[in-house]
Amino acid sequence: FYFKQCQDQYDLQLFGPLGAGRTRLYGNQKHAVLITEQGKKFEATDPQQLLQQMLNMNLPVNNLPQWLI
């Protein structure tokens, strides 16, 4: 995975071996955008809920900086 945060903006990219299944989630505290490997774009106000709905993945996106420190 790849994660970058600058103030309230974040960019999270999830992918498998050799980049397979790349999915990108980016946004801020008020808006999240998820782009699938096929280029489909989905938007929501809650990034965690968006990942849960689209990828069936429970990942606390808002707490990632604390996990990685």
Side-chain angles (χ1 to χ4, degrees), residues 11-26:
D11 187 355
L12 172 64
Q13 296 181 36
L14 304 169
F15 46 88
L18 303 174
R22 183 174 297 268
T23 299
R24 181 177 180 204
L25 177 70
Y26 66 92

Side-chain angles (χ1 to χ4, degrees), residues 3-4 8 10-11 20 25 28 35 42 46 49-50 54 56 65 68:
F3 179 74
K4 180 179 178 181
D8 72 336
Y10 61 85
D11 187 355
L25 177 70
N28 58 40
I35 300 176
F42 303 92
D46 183 337
Q49 186 178 24
L50 185 57
M54 303 313 301
N56 197 28
L68 301 174

Side-chain angles (χ1 to χ4, degrees), residues 23-66:
T23 299
R24 181 177 180 204
L25 177 70
Y26 66 92
N28 58 40
Q29 294 178 352
K30 297 180 181 180
H31 187 245
V33 178
L34 185 138
I35 300 176
T36 67
E37 183 177 32
Q38 296 80 19
K40 293 182 181 178
K41 184 176 178 180
F42 303 92
E43 300 183 47
T45 57
D46 183 337
Q48 187 170 333
Q49 186 178 24
L50 185 57
L51 274 177
Q52 179 68 39
Q53 288 175 343
M54 303 313 301
L55 302 178
N56 197 28
M57 179 183 292
N58 188 10
L59 185 65
V61 177
N62 294 329
N63 295 327
L64 276 181
Q66 289 80 15

